[in-house]
Amino acid sequence: MSDNLKKLSDQGVSIWLDDISRERLRTGNLEKLVKEKHVVGVTSNPTIFAKALSKGSAYDEQVKDLVLRGVNVDEASRAITTYDIRWGCDVLRPVYDRTDGLDGRVSIEVDPRLARKTGETIAEARALWWLVDRPNLFIKIPATEPGLPAITAALAEGISVNVTLIFSLERYGKVIDAFFEGLEKARENGHDLSKIASVASFFVSRVDTEIDKRLDKIGTDEAKALRSQAGVANARLAYALYENKFGTDRWKALKDAGARPQRPLWASTGVKDPDLPDTLYVDQLVAPGTVNTMPEATLEAAADHSDVVGDTVTGNYDDARAHMEALKTAGVDYDDVVKVLEDEGVDKFEVSWNELLATISGELDDKQGAGA
């Protein structure tokens, strides 16, 4: 066992892996990470699946079957991705049972081409929930404005949701409100609230990447001194908002009805700038009741040399606010930053999804040509 990761887990941080592939499942690697690296959950996204499909032969047999069945590329993508997610859910099921449903969760994302279409997102969330058919599944729905009512609708039907692509504090507040409304409707619909779970994925490193680019353009010494701190400051203020919202009477009424809180999840925690410590977004975002979903490289780095010294979030709200104010004074437009990041996030996942479809289409054509 890794002492560093155990320390992190003991601080109330759930360690999730931001990766899944057929090869990782087939070789038992995921099960090994659960046993040896305190991994208690898995997240996926279109980029991860596009990468997995482009390597090796792990998907060949399933692709052959899909060719023989004559399915189109969209249905093939659902069949392939849900197969991996279902398998991942089964690997993590003992964790789900041991933690009474807190962890042991595996996330699959709604087709990102639907990110700005409410009705279609709801329909796809239902379809994925039915296809995977595991209680420890999370359906990932982006926190776009059209995504908010879809989040509420999915929760109202008893579907557990991982809200993704959150960058701004204002949007995060709306995400929590959508969560509350969804649970209130679920209660009205007769669902057992204790069986519905949710996390809110607040992205970290991309905030630094965008803001540092703007600080470099400003070019002053004062601006340069502010580099690579906004991602952590923004996330810390998100946790402050979480504490505030989940201290209200509205939440208390839901909690009394059996509801679980929507946990903050730190996403995009691999550093983008090689000059930064590779465990920056692990060490600086330790807080109880949170999730940190890490790429494998970050997980291994944290296991090797993470410096876990206790809660590094709740005592730093004033400093975080001061930093964000200093960015404003320097000329960084926060509202524009988060808008750009959301737009880019949706676009990047859509590009990855199209790459995934192109890869699957190519595989189907190859197997068709070879007579499957």
Side-chain angles (χ1 to χ4, degrees):
M1 286 289 190
S2 162
D3 287 341
N4 290 334
L5 294 178
K6 184 178 187 303
K7 288 177 186 176
L8 188 63
S9 181
D10 288 346
Q11 289 295 322
V13 179
S14 291
I15 300 165
W16 290 9
L17 177 70
D18 191 28
D19 189 63
I20 196 167
S21 70
R22 189 73 53 89
E23 190 67 19
R24 190 184 292 282
L25 291 161
R26 190 170 66 178
T27 60
N29 174 263
L30 178 58
E31 191 171 5
K32 183 178 180 181
L33 292 175
V34 171
K35 290 179 178 178
E36 298 181 2
K37 295 290 173 65
H38 296 274
V39 169
V40 292
V42 172
T43 48
S44 68
N45 61 48
T47 303
I48 287 169
F49 275 118
K51 180 180 176 182
L53 263 292
S54 66
K55 292 184 176 180
S57 59
Y59 296 89
D60 284 0
E61 289 303 315
Q62 188 180 13
V63 172
K64 287 180 183 178
D65 287 345
L66 293 169
V67 168
L68 291 170
R69 290 171 52 209
V71 304
N72 64 34
V73 67
D74 285 312
E75 285 304 310
S77 71
R78 286 191 189 92
I80 289 168
T81 56
T82 56
Y83 187 102
D84 283 3
I85 296 299
R86 189 181 306 109
W87 192 345
C89 283
D90 290 343
V91 171
L92 271 293
R93 182 60 188 263
V95 177
Y96 174 81
D97 292 336
R98 172 170 53 83
T99 62
D100 192 27
L102 179 68
D103 284 307
R105 302 278 178 169
V106 183
S107 298
I108 186 170
E109 188 145 353
V110 167
D111 183 338
R113 295 173 298 178
L114 309 177
R116 304 195 188 282
K117 299 177 180 179
T118 303
E120 289 87 341
T121 294
I122 296 168
E124 188 69 8
R126 289 184 187 126
L128 292 172
W129 186 253
W130 176 81
L131 278 167
V132 176
D133 192 27
R134 295 293 187 272
N136 51 332
L137 176 68
F138 270 137
I139 303 297
K140 290 179 78 173
I141 298 176
T144 57
E145 282 287 354
L148 296 173
I151 292 160
T152 294
L155 290 164
E157 295 184 17
I159 297 172
S160 294
V161 175
N162 176 342
V163 183
T164 188
L165 286 178
I166 308 172
F167 298 98
S168 84
L169 296 169
E170 179 186 12
R171 185 61 56 80
Y172 180 39
K174 290 182 178 180
V175 165
I176 297 174
D177 288 341
F179 169 71
F180 287 166
E181 186 180 354
L183 290 191
E184 287 161 353
K185 290 183 176 180
R187 182 178 55 189
E188 293 170 7
N189 293 337
H191 289 287
D192 180 353
L193 298 191
S194 69
K195 303 298 184 185
I196 305 171
S198 184
V199 292
S201 297
F202 209 88
F203 281 53
V204 185
S205 66
R206 296 188 194 185
V207 173
D208 275 338
T209 299
E210 181 63 26
I211 288 181
D212 286 358
K213 182 170 64 177
R214 298 181 185 218
L215 290 171
D216 289 344
K217 189 173 181 179
I218 293 168
T220 63
D221 289 342
E222 291 82 3
K224 291 177 182 178
L226 297 173
R227 293 183 87 259
S228 306
Q229 300 167 62
V232 168
N234 198 41
R236 286 172 172 169
L237 293 179
Y239 194 82
L241 180 57
Y242 160 77
E243 287 190 313
N244 180 267
K245 287 273 196 178
F246 284 86
T248 60
D249 290 340
R250 187 181 186 187
W251 168 244
K252 185 178 184 302
L254 288 166
K255 182 180 179 182
D256 289 346
R260 304 167 178 266
Q262 181 187 57
R263 291 187 293 168
L265 179 151
W266 312 130
S268 182
T269 55
V271 297
K272 303 294 191 291
D273 183 344
D275 292 332
L276 295 176
D278 53 5
T279 62
L280 174 68
Y281 303 122
V282 177
D283 300 341
Q284 295 300 310
L285 291 174
V286 178
T290 58
V291 178
N292 194 312
T293 184
M294 310 177 197
E296 188 170 20
T298 303
L299 177 73
E300 295 295 343
D304 182 66
H305 53 263
S306 185
D307 185 21
V308 180
V309 295
D311 185 339
T312 52
V313 173
T314 59
N316 292 292
Y317 297 153
D318 288 343
D319 287 345
R321 292 187 186 98
H323 183 77
M324 302 309 282
E325 190 60 34
L327 288 172
K328 182 179 178 180
T329 301
V332 175
D333 184 340
Y334 176 83
D335 291 339
D336 185 64
V337 166
V338 295
K339 181 182 184 305
V340 166
L341 287 172
E342 180 181 301
D343 290 343
E344 285 184 352
V346 171
D347 290 346
K348 285 177 181 177
F349 279 166
E350 186 170 341
V351 167
S352 294
W353 189 260
N354 286 328
E355 290 174 356
L356 172 63
L357 294 181
T359 300
I360 292 172
S361 181
E363 292 287 330
L364 292 172
D365 289 345
D366 288 347
K367 297 296 186 295
Q368 182 74 51

